[in-house]
Amino acid sequence: MQKKIEDLVAKCRPYTKKGEVASYIPELGKADKEQLAVCVLDKEGNQCQAGDYSQKFTIQSIAKVAIFICCLLDAGKSEVGKKVSFEPTSDGFNSIVNLETKNKHRPLNPFINAGAIACITLIKGADPEDKFVRVREFVRKMSGNSDIEVAEGVYLSEKKTGSRNRALAYFMKSSLIIKDEDIEELLDVYFKICSLSVTVKDLANMGLVLAQNGRTPAGEKLFGAETARTVKATMTLCGMYDESGEFAVNVGLPSKSGVGGGILSVVPGRFGIGVYGPSLNKKGTSVAGKKLLQELSREFDLSIF
Ligand code: DON
């Protein structure tokens, strides 16, 4: 597989020219558009990495997977279901339109920005810092990397420019999806979680835990099979926002994208995959990263469908 993924990185790298790095969070605009990396891990501990795999980048919306798992563990599925549903969206990740018109004001799913912000209210913690630490520790455990920290520059950049997320959160407060929380404090937790700095190997490890229904490669049980099923199903239907359908057809793996350029993919029972390519399409997905996953899925017949 090592030789094959090196060839695929070379084949897909030209696709980095087709997109643009995220600029609505100014600090993300500094990324090198031509970078591309992949890591594939299996449960026996075998790893294949290719391309710019040492590059660190911010986890961004991929952290919504950890937020979702933490709130399922802390509050249970039925409480989570009062805050968000588990339905796909035909709108972008930061869209506000459905909050007023659909679903009794609940965000459609936990992976759009509104859904993740609402889910943070259910995470256990005496104060906002506790909630942040709960999710950071969970990301560290899932990735097997206890050194994961916030990229301070990206965090401050998003905090300064995050008006759309403020709009979403205040709208949800007006419709009582968010009740007692201070919005600025809540968003501070969200911005910090999105700014955790990771590598493709960290993402692949997180994917491997989902592939193994909640168990780390060392055998520690972080969550149960029912939670894993809920999360993988939601990733399949909602993880790539309004291109989840096309992604299911062409890649066919439960996945989550982030505007930092990462994508986490799960091959149930077999592999965790992390890719990185900061050049994004209009949906906020790595263009070359998506192409790489498509080729990988075809080459090794990985689609779950
Ligand atoms: O809230 C935001 O806009 C970013 N922190 C995360 C968005 C994101 O990663 C969308 N996914 N592709």
Side-chain angles (χ1 to χ4, degrees):
M1 187 185 262
Q2 180 63 37
K3 169 81 174 78
K4 197 78 225 174
I5 66 167
E6 281 168 16
D7 291 349
L8 288 182
V9 168
K11 180 177 174 187
C12 296
R13 207 184 282 272
Y15 285 79
T16 60
K17 294 196 171 30
K18 292 184 187 269
E20 294 300 332
V21 293
S23 54
Y24 77 101
I25 301 173
E27 193 70 14
L28 293 182
K30 295 180 180 168
D32 176 352
K33 182 174 162 171
E34 290 182 13
Q35 286 197 319
L36 184 61
V38 60
C39 176
V40 183
L41 291 180
D42 73 11
K43 58 186 178 200
E44 280 79 40
N46 301 308
Q47 77 175 54
C48 293
Q49 303 196 92
D52 306 289
Y53 57 83
S54 310
Q55 182 63 49
K56 287 186 173 184
F57 53 93
T58 51
I59 192 167
Q60 298 298 338
S61 287
I62 301 166
K64 293 167 181 170
V65 173
I67 293 171
F68 186 32
I69 298 171
C70 286
C71 76
L72 285 168
L73 294 177
D74 291 357
K77 193 155 83 178
S78 83
E79 282 308 304
V80 174
K82 291 178 190 164
K83 291 280 176 204
V84 295
S85 55
F86 308 108
E87 302 302 333
T89 179
S90 56
D91 298 287
F93 63 84
N94 58 7
S95 176
I96 197 165
V97 61
N98 296 321
L99 288 180
E100 185 172 22
T101 57
K102 284 197 185 122
N103 216 23
K104 295 186 187 145
H105 304 306
R106 286 174 309 163
L108 281 170
N109 66 66
F111 294 147
I112 54 175
N113 288 10
I117 293 165
C119 281
I120 292 173
T121 66
L122 295 177
I123 290 171
K124 276 192 186 143
D127 55 31
E129 178 63 13
D130 265 11
K131 286 180 191 254
F132 163 67
V133 171
R134 162 100 175 101
V135 180
R136 184 193 62 196
E137 291 313 301
F138 201 79
V139 170
R140 286 178 174 177
K141 282 209 152 179
M142 267 188 98
S143 62
N145 180 359
S146 55
D147 294 330
I148 288 176
E149 295 288 357
V150 168
E152 208 59 24
V154 176
Y155 156 60
L156 293 172
S157 184
E158 186 170 3
K159 191 175 167 69
K160 202 166 159 185
T161 56
S163 302
R164 176 64 73 98
N165 285 324
R166 288 187 176 84
L168 296 172
Y170 278 107
F171 191 89
M172 287 191 285
K173 188 146 189 168
S174 77
S175 55
L176 302 180
I177 295 295
I178 296 175
K179 296 202 170 78
D180 304 325
E181 283 80 6
D182 178 272
I183 294 298
E184 278 307 317
E185 287 181 354
L186 179 63
L187 287 170
D188 199 58
V189 176
Y190 173 76
F191 296 147
K192 272 199 222 153
I193 295 171
C194 288
S195 301
L196 291 170
S197 181
V198 294
T199 62
V200 282
K201 188 174 175 184
D202 296 329
L203 296 185
N205 263 306
M206 293 174 76
L208 188 56
V209 173
L210 280 158
Q212 298 197 99
N213 286 331
R215 281 195 190 273
T216 67
E220 189 183 353
K221 186 178 169 186
L222 298 183
F223 48 91
E226 173 64 21
T227 301
R229 224 186 335 265
T230 300
V231 174
K232 282 183 280 187
T234 313
M235 288 170 76
T236 305
L237 291 169
C238 315
M240 312 301 284
Y241 315 111
D242 48 339
E243 62 176 355
S244 297
E246 187 248 289
F247 194 87
V249 167
N250 289 320
V251 180
L253 297 173
S255 297
K256 184 73 213 78
S257 56
V259 289
I263 307 175
L264 176 163
S265 293
V266 182
V267 187
R270 296 184 68 192
F271 304 117
I273 305 176
V275 301
Y276 170 64
S279 180
L280 309 177
N281 67 14
K282 295 265 186 308
K283 316 280 186 186
T285 305
S286 171
V287 184
K290 183 170 132 185
K291 176 71 181 162
L292 186 55
L293 284 168
Q294 186 176 333
E295 296 282 332
L296 203 62
S297 176
R298 259 197 213 147
E299 181 68 35
F300 295 99
D301 195 18
L302 302 179
S303 172
I304 63 169
F305 296 106

